[in-house]
Amino acid sequence: MCGIVGYIGYREAYPVLINGLKRLEYRGYDSAGIAILNEVSHVYKCKGKVSDLEKYAKGNDVSGHIGMGHTRWATHGEPNDINAHPHKSFNGKFVLIHNGIIENYSTLKDRLINRGYKFTSQTDSEVLVNLIEFLYLKGGVTAEVAVRLALSKVEGAYGIVVMCSDEPDKLIAARKGSPLVIGVGNDEYFLASDATPIVEYTKSVIYLNDQNVAVITKNELVLKTLKNIPLTPEIKQLDLDIGEIDKGGYAHFMLKEIFEQPRSIHDTFRGRVYSEGTELRLGGLFQVLPKLVEAKRIIIIGCGTSWHAGLVGEYLFEDLARVSVEVEYASEFRYRNPIINSGDVVIAISQSGETADTLAAIRLAKESGALVLGICNVVGSSIPRETDAGVYTHAGPEIGVASTKAFTAQVTVLAMMAILVGREKNILTEAQYHHYIKELMAVPEKIESILKQDEEIRKMAEMYQDVNNFLYLGRGYLFPVALEGALKLKEISYIHAEGYPAAEMKHGPIALIDHHMPVVVLAAKDHSYDKIVSNVQEVKARKGRVIAIINKGEATIKKMANHYIEIPESDAVFSPLLAVIPLQLMSYYIAVLRGCDVDQPRNLAKSVTVE
Ligand code: G6P
């Protein structure tokens, strides 16, 4: 949450910072600001989006070659001009941007107030910049020493960039818990919360680790620990193209990402399926495969959409590999007293690789001695670096706040893992193993055929744009898809929606059904098909409006439903990958018709780096 950027070099900093903030806006968008050092530091900040900041800064002096920018997702203090970052220190010596939470800010603030400091904002970040300044002035130390001293006194998480007007040739950056990437150019450096603002300038990057401090001048970067131990920066090459982070002609990133799924799923299994589809290999798991195969239990952890993918994983591992699985919200798991045995394998799922609760749950699992694996999309993010091994989803950058292609890529990885373990355990016969691989390889083409119904789905959305509630029902593999469909609608259209296992409807939700209530029924042909037919009848008998997701050629539900969308037949194992597509499109169109900001829905952020 919150996006931070920094620049030092020979270019004008302003356009670099503004473009960078636009790329990071998915991380938070309730206020934005920049500071540019040009003899003195000029700070411009306001409530609203980066486009509002541009309007605000227009006509002002934004010249200079050193600067920082911030796009905020409020934690301490409401979104307004004053609470927006950057924050200037009381005596004006320091300017800071911060992503994270300073947990002991209140104690530190009281101490600073006792020493005469005055505060203008309600933020924890202003406490940090004042603490840095206080230690700087009191100790007569350098800016870097003051930053390190201050950070040794704070509890919580931070990714920060600091400028000091007495040392106008440098940026100081540090991280603990919140991501920071440094782009290395020729006589210039870029700083950002992720690599997307950097890739158009350089592909050479350094990922800061926790407790790292970087002191950066235009032609030198000094990396050290908080305790002043020198470190050798490890420069990595980005595998990211600028085209991947543009809308590519689509009205929204979300729509682009929905339409990318045939390609992104293909990219997820590309290089992992061999010999014309008869062999499956997951290089990232090679060393740990024996342990995964012997696992007594698998515990899957994640948040939001990643947790829904985990639920599909439960069905997959139980079905194909006969191993018992528990799926946990990372946020609950970390604060329970979970029983984790050494024979357990924990799988953490995360698109961003930065979700604070998932990271904390991973640390807890590691302490217990379990093997911890990751399924992540963002290469080089914190979760892949903290897990023992794992599999990247390779879905490409996902920028729309509502997750779409990351979900299908996560399910694809889980399916590959379950098939692999099932085969190693001899649960799957050779023929079944090949059957599943072939079915997986057929998924992208099947999704193409669903995407062709885009216009029908848009027309259908017109009829439901004004409703207040939605119910989503599914059974078996399609129950998690019902949850995911409801979440998508809630997130971007602000319509209340609930996902339920279809059979549970009669234990409560059925009381809600009347002629106002649209019920989305996921009814692919599997062993529970007849039961779903009965559920549809129960909804119809109470005058509910049924939107059915059915297989091509299905006749019974088609006749009963008010609307239907056909998806190709597949093995039940892969039905989530198909059934979720029309739900994503329907949510998208309903949200667009309601005039909602699809890519940046209110109150949400894509990368949740606070608990
Ligand atoms: C946020 C996002 C969701 C995402 C969840 C987990 O809530 O808005 O789209 O599913 O975080 O994020 P992760 O990056 O760990 O998958």
Side-chain angles (χ1 to χ4, degrees), residues 303-306 349-353 355 401 403 410 491 605-606 608:
C303 302
T305 291
S306 297
I349 306 179
S350 174
Q351 186 287 129
S352 63
T355 302
V401 166
S403 186
Q410 289 162 348
E491 282 179 311
K606 186 148 191 75
V608 184

Side-chain angles (χ1 to χ4, degrees), residues 1-3 27-28 71 73 75 99-100 603-610:
M1 280 163 158
C2 298
R27 300 177 68 89
T71 177
W73 187 88
T75 56
N99 169 27
N603 305 337
L604 297 178
K606 186 148 191 75
S607 188
V608 184
T609 53
V610 297

Side-chain angles (χ1 to χ4, degrees), residues 541-608:
R542 284 150 188 93
K543 302 205 165 24
R545 290 188 280 169
V546 172
I547 300 169
I549 311 298
I550 51 173
N551 282 135
K552 251 195 183 99
E554 196 281 348
T556 316
I557 296 178
K558 195 174 186 169
K559 278 192 217 123
M560 290 191 280
N562 299 66
H563 293 98
Y564 64 87
I565 303 160
E566 290 182 322
I567 59 172
E569 272 195 42
S570 76
D571 194 291
V573 162
F574 299 107
S575 59
L577 295 173
L578 307 180
V580 77
I581 308 290
L583 306 191
Q584 295 170 344
L585 280 171
M586 189 177 78
S587 306
Y588 170 78
Y589 284 118
I590 290 178
V592 169
L593 289 162
R594 287 165 71 93
C596 299
D597 189 342
V598 170
D599 280 338
Q600 293 173 355
R602 70 183 182 205
N603 305 337
L604 297 178
K606 186 148 191 75
S607 188
V608 184

Side-chain angles (χ1 to χ4, degrees), residues 283-353:
L285 297 184
F286 184 71
Q287 304 279 353
V288 296
L289 193 57
K291 272 198 178 169
L292 180 58
V293 169
E294 282 157 27
K296 302 261 175 313
R297 183 175 62 145
I298 291 176
I299 304 170
I300 301 180
I301 51 176
C303 302
T305 291
S306 297
W307 181 76
H308 292 158
L311 289 178
V312 179
E314 179 175 20
Y315 288 85
L316 286 164
F317 276 108
E318 288 187 356
D319 243 8
L320 308 184
R322 303 303 300 140
V323 52
S324 127
V325 181
E326 280 172 31
V327 188
E328 306 272 0
Y329 284 115
S331 53
E332 285 298 312
F333 181 78
R334 62 179 288 199
Y335 286 118
R336 282 211 327 262
N337 192 4
I339 298 163
I340 314 168
N341 302 311
S342 54
D344 292 339
V345 172
V346 175
I347 303 177
I349 306 179
S350 174
Q351 186 287 129
S352 63

